[in-house]
Structure formats: C-alpha cells, structure tokens
Amino acid sequence: MAVAKRKWRGGPAFQAKKLKRNEKDAKAPAKPSDVAEEAAEEERDRIPGPVCKGKWKNKERILIFSSRGINFRTRHLMQDLRMLMPHSKADTKMDRKDKLFVINEVCEMKNCNKCIYFEAKKKQDLYMWLSNSPHGPSAKFLVQNIHTLAELKMTGNCLKGSRPLLSFDPAFDELPHFALLKELLIQIFSTPRYHPKSQPFVDHVFTFTILDNRIWFRNFQIIEEDAALVEIGPRFVLNLIKIFQGSFGGPTLYENPHYQSPNMHRRVIRSITAAKYREKQQVKDVQKLRKKEPKTILPHDPTADVFVIPAEEKPIEIQWVKPEPKVDLKARKKRIYKRQRKMKQNMNSGNAK
C-alpha cells in the first residue's frame, strides 16, 4: 500500500493562499460600524465556557464505610455524609474479626488519604474513627444522639455537591488536642476546590461546637435574602475517647478523662434502679415486722372520762299493731298492662269473626 503523503501546512502554496486573502482584505477595508456589528454577533453566538476554569489541586479523597452489625440509623447517617461530601468514596462492610490496620490497605487500594470508619459493637453502640491514612493521626469517638436527614424532616435544603463553609467553636483554639481535631476535621469535611463532582456554590455551613466536653455537629442552609440559617441535617454528637499518633493505632497522644463507656453508663443506670427496688423492699419488710409485733395495752386512765357526757337513753317503744303492707307499684302496673292486652286481643278476635 502506498503511504499517503501529508501536506505541509507551511508550504509555498499555503503561504500564497494566505497572501491572496490578505490582498483581498486590503483591497476592501471594513467600516468600523460593520466591525462592531460582527463582534456583537460573535459575542451573541458564542457558547459560554464552563463555570469552573480553575485547576483541581487538592486531591483529598475520603473513604466512608463501616463494619458489619450496624443498624438502619447508622446506615442512613453514612449515606447522608456521602451525599454531603462529593469527594468521598464507598466500600463494602468490613468484617469485625479483621484488624483495624487493614483499613490502611483498603485506603491505599481506593486511592484515599482520609477515612471515616463506623464501628458497631453489641448492635447498640456506635464508634467513629477519623484517620489520616497511612501516617496518622487518628481519633476515636463515641457517636451519640444520631438524627438523619430522613428522620429530621427539616425545612432547610442545599444543592447536592455544593461546597460547605466550616464553622468552629472558639474553644477549639484553647486546648492543643482540640486544635489537632480541628485540623483533622477541616481536612476531612472541606470539599476541595474545583473538584469534578462538586458545584461552585456555597449555600450551607457545617458547625462544630464544643459543649459538655463533646463535639456537636450541625448542618445549616444559608438563606441568600437575610443570611439566616435553617437547619438541614443530619445531626450527631461526638464524644472523644482517644487520639492516636498513627492511623488506627500507635502511641496514645490524648485520652479523655471525662469519657464514660456505654457499658459503665448502663451499669450505673441498673445500679440506680436496683437501689430503688431494694429500698422499696426494705420499707415493706419494716411494715411486716411492725404488724407482727404485739400491741402494747396501756392501763386505763380514770381521768380520760372526766369530760365524757353520757348519751340520753331513749324509751323503748313496742308496736302492738301490724303495719300495713307496702303497695308494689311495679307488680300493679304489670297486672294492668296484662289486663289491657287481653282486652285488645278479645276485641280483635271479635272483629275478625
């Protein structure tokens, strides 16, 4: 087969054509009014470019998944976080027998450098791990008071994939462990700029507030008219347990002295109810003992009857005449009703004859 020769664009024929066009244009100079009209038409017919013209530099990717044994509320919370964070990725549930260090390998396979892992225990306790994979640090929280988007039914709303503002309590800057958690939360929950799945709008805000040694998460919509806030959801509370130097393990950097495990909390509640039950039983036993004790008979006090006035004795009346029998009105009415019914039957039978 003969190979087709490529035409060289810079050849003499091509240059000659360009020169001819230039000569024609030079012969007929355009008027300034015509040039302005053509520019306006071109501007009118021009297709607008994409809104996002920047370059995606922040390559943060978050892996959000859980262990087996989670309930429906945890599953809905996980889905809500994936929907609010366009830079997140999902994965299958991890077996509870596997070690937590396996998650670093999963993050590496998924090309993720941050991880949110929900760990369920006893089908009633939920723990959340926030980790910077694979070098750390990582933090373990107990998740409490979970309310999902489907459960709250708030009036707020936001565009799917829009970038949120992050609002932090001033208390995050007072203590070093809260400052570390603030940086970790910023890197995880902030949507990277110019992310392909994100929208170039800011219409909601994530708030992180410290109250009662816990971190309270809320999601609010920003209304354009008066910049008011309307809650969207979800909402949950994070009770810090420990901060580790590595990812899902390593030396402990901080341990919360105010933390009380769910098992201990349930144990305290059971002990309180048991104490109430024991107190009631003791009161019943004391009452039974008091009933069984012999009653002490006090001697008669002669001065106790000083002011007692004897009652007047009424004369005894003997009735010699038999009382008249009482008239039974009900029986009398029945007899009258029977008599009238018999009379009606007799009259009907005579008319029939």
Side-chain angles (χ1 to χ4, degrees):
M1 292 177 66
V3 180
K5 294 183 179 180
R6 295 183 180 177
K7 291 183 179 180
W8 182 50
R9 290 287 181 182
F14 184 72
Q15 291 176 358
K17 287 182 180 179
K18 278 191 173 181
L19 291 172
K20 286 180 181 179
R21 287 180 185 174
N22 293 335
E23 288 173 2
K24 287 180 181 179
D25 295 340
K27 287 178 183 178
K31 296 180 181 179
S33 60
D34 297 340
V35 174
E37 289 178 1
E38 289 178 0
E41 288 180 0
E42 288 179 0
E43 186 67 26
R44 196 182 307 113
D45 299 336
R46 187 176 64 84
I47 299 173
V51 179
C52 175
K53 292 184 179 180
K55 188 177 180 182
W56 177 33
K57 296 180 181 179
N58 186 7
K59 303 290 184 177
E60 294 283 350
R61 296 182 183 89
I62 316 298
L63 180 64
I64 302 177
F65 72 119
S66 68
S67 65
R68 297 193 180 276
I70 60 172
N71 54 9
F72 70 97
R73 186 174 278 109
T74 307
R75 186 175 69 253
H76 290 176
L77 174 64
M78 197 164 52
Q79 292 172 356
D80 295 343
L81 289 178
R82 287 172 184 167
M83 186 170 57
L84 291 172
M85 301 164 69
H87 60 296
S88 63
K89 289 187 177 182
D91 194 23
T92 57
K93 295 179 182 177
M94 196 178 79
D95 196 356
R96 286 181 289 183
K97 296 180 182 178
D98 295 339
K99 300 292 183 181
L100 292 176
F101 294 102
V102 181
I103 301 176
N104 294 325
E105 299 177 4
V106 177
C107 291
E108 187 177 356
M109 287 188 293
K110 289 283 185 179
N111 196 17
C112 296
N113 50 6
K114 298 289 187 297
C115 180
I116 299 177
Y117 175 65
F118 292 95
E119 186 180 8
K121 289 186 178 180
K122 294 188 176 181
K123 296 185 179 181
Q124 54 184 347
D125 302 330
L126 180 65
Y127 298 92
M128 178 193 285
W129 285 84
L130 301 180
S131 174
N132 180 23
S133 178
H135 305 294
S138 59
K140 186 179 181 181
F141 300 91
L142 174 68
V143 187
Q144 299 172 326
N145 301 335
I146 301 173
H147 299 281
T148 59
L149 279 170
E151 180 185 354
L152 284 174
K153 295 182 180 177
M154 294 289 185
T155 56
N157 197 2
C158 66
L159 185 67
K160 185 177 180 180
S162 59
R163 300 177 65 229
L165 294 175
L166 299 183
S167 173
F168 288 91
D169 195 286
F172 275 97
D173 299 327
E174 295 177 359
L175 297 173
H177 63 279
F178 280 135
L180 177 62
L181 290 177
K182 178 181 178 181
E183 184 62 30
L184 189 62
L185 292 170
I186 287 173
Q187 294 184 15
I188 289 177
F189 284 93
S190 61
T191 303
R193 194 178 183 188
Y194 303 129
H195 192 275
K197 292 184 180 180
S198 67
Q199 299 290 339
F201 304 104
V202 178
D203 57 356
H204 64 289
V205 54
F206 292 159
T207 61
F208 299 91
T209 311
I210 296 175
L211 183 65
D212 194 20
N213 296 314
R214 292 171 173 82
I215 299 174
W216 299 66
F217 174 84
R218 295 288 185 275
N219 181 21
F220 294 97
Q221 176 193 359
I222 303 173
I223 299 176
E224 297 180 359
E225 288 78 10
D226 53 353
L229 298 179
V230 181
E231 187 169 359
I232 305 171
R235 59 165 68 165
F236 53 88
V237 180
L238 299 176
N239 191 1
L240 178 63
I241 302 174
K242 283 184 181 180
I243 300 177
F244 300 96
Q245 184 177 353
S247 178
F248 296 99
T252 303
L253 298 178
Y254 176 77
E255 186 174 358
N256 188 8
H258 306 286
Y259 172 71
Q260 187 182 36
S261 65
N263 292 332
M264 184 61 68
H265 181 66
R266 287 189 287 267
R267 181 181 175 184
V268 170
I269 292 174
R270 286 197 301 267
S271 63
I272 291 171
T273 54
K276 289 182 180 179
Y277 178 75
R278 282 197 300 270
E279 187 178 354
K280 288 182 181 179
Q281 290 296 325
Q282 289 175 1
V283 171
K284 289 181 181 179
D285 294 339
V286 170
Q287 290 177 353
K288 287 180 181 178
L289 290 174
R290 285 180 181 176
K291 288 180 180 179
K292 290 180 180 178
E293 289 178 358
K295 294 181 180 180
T296 55
I297 301 173
L298 298 175
H300 180 67
D301 188 6
T303 59
D305 301 333
V306 173
F307 298 101
V308 175
I309 300 173
E312 296 180 358
E313 296 183 359
K314 293 183 179 180
I316 299 171
E317 295 183 359
I318 300 172
Q319 191 173 3
W320 301 98
V321 182
K322 182 180 178 180
E324 295 181 357
K326 293 182 179 179
V327 180
D328 192 358
L329 297 177
K330 290 184 179 180
R332 188 175 180 183
K333 286 182 180 179
K334 284 183 180 180
R335 288 196 297 269
I336 294 170
Y337 177 70
K338 285 183 180 179
R339 195 182 302 124
Q340 290 177 355
R341 191 173 58 183
K342 285 183 179 180
M343 290 174 65
K344 286 182 181 179
Q345 289 177 357
N346 294 333
M347 288 174 65
N348 291 334
S349 61
N351 293 332
K353 289 178 181 179

